[in-house]
Amino acid sequence: MDAMRRFNRVSAVICLLLACAPVAIAQDFEPNEILDTAVPPNKLAGVYEHGSGGLQDPARTVASHHKAAAQGDVEAQYNLAKMYEDQDSVLFDYSKAHSWYRMAATNGHRGAQSRLGLLLEFGKGVAQSRVQAHMWYSIAFSNGNKAAAFWRDSLAADLEPYEILTAQILAQECLSSRYRNCGS
């Protein structure tokens, strides 16, 4: 019976220590520092962007998206591009939006492929190329982005047949090379 009582006491002490440990650790850090080290960058950006727990912080949102994007997170690359494309944002920069959309597009993000087509069609942040735009719309559509078909078809109405054929060939080359050969 004495052994059982001792076991219960030791168990109670261990439980008490475990319950207090997070508080003791948290006292040594600012709340954002704990998040920065404990949460993956792709999830952290969402926390800062949407203010989960009152932590809305635009600068940290961008930093977290950059960190996740640099680590190859395709969704972070796309979200970063959208932030740079937003004309109401202090980050507004079509050129950077184009770069991030291109990175996400060549990593297979169909939304980025469509948005990249729009930037190319209208020459936003990059030299206008309606053939490249058609190519990216076609790629996005082939990856399941149904809205891209509308943009591709409306653009095709203004293109010459040889331009459409060129765009189709470029799209095939891009897809068959797994996005390694997708033009300039």
Side-chain angles (χ1 to χ4, degrees):
M1 194 64 146
D2 205 24
M4 187 58 127
R5 211 178 260 172
R6 183 176 166 92
F7 175 77
N8 286 341
R9 283 185 184 173
V10 169
S11 296
V13 169
I14 290 172
C15 287
L16 182 62
L17 288 173
L18 290 174
C20 295
V23 174
I25 292 169
Q27 289 172 349
D28 295 336
F29 295 95
E30 292 294 318
N32 290 341
E33 288 178 299
I34 294 170
L35 279 175
D36 288 348
T37 58
V39 179
N42 60 338
K43 302 288 186 219
L44 191 58
V47 169
Y48 289 132
E49 184 173 1
H50 302 293
S52 212
L55 295 172
Q56 192 169 16
D57 187 337
R60 284 185 183 252
T61 300
V62 174
S64 295
H65 277 307
H66 269 285
K67 184 176 180 179
Q71 292 174 355
D73 185 310
V74 178
E75 201 60 38
Q77 294 165 353
Y78 176 70
N79 288 332
L80 204 48
K82 286 194 319 185
M83 293 171 83
Y84 282 115
E85 188 183 18
D86 181 4
Q87 294 179 353
D88 295 329
S89 168
V90 293
L91 298 175
F92 176 64
D93 185 336
Y94 277 132
S95 161
K96 287 183 181 177
H98 171 265
S99 296
W100 285 111
Y101 277 137
R102 183 163 178 83
M103 187 177 294
T106 57
N107 283 315
H109 194 287
R110 64 186 183 202
Q113 293 164 345
S114 184
R115 297 303 303 171
L116 183 57
L118 283 168
L119 292 181
L120 285 160
E121 180 178 358
F122 297 104
K124 304 287 186 179
V126 65
Q128 183 180 26
S129 174
R130 297 178 331 155
V131 171
Q132 287 280 317
H134 190 286
M135 176 195 82
W136 282 110
Y137 293 145
S138 295
I139 291 169
F141 178 69
S142 73
N143 286 323
N145 186 333
K146 295 191 182 356
F150 169 79
W151 292 104
R152 180 199 61 203
D153 295 346
S154 64
L155 174 60
D158 294 333
L159 294 177
E160 296 294 325
Y162 77 90
E163 291 175 309
I164 295 169
L165 181 60
T166 301
Q168 291 170 341
I169 291 169
L170 291 172
Q172 270 307 28
E173 288 176 3
C174 180
L175 287 168
S176 66
S177 71
R178 296 188 178 155
Y179 306 110
R180 287 181 178 77
N181 185 19
C182 297
S184 53

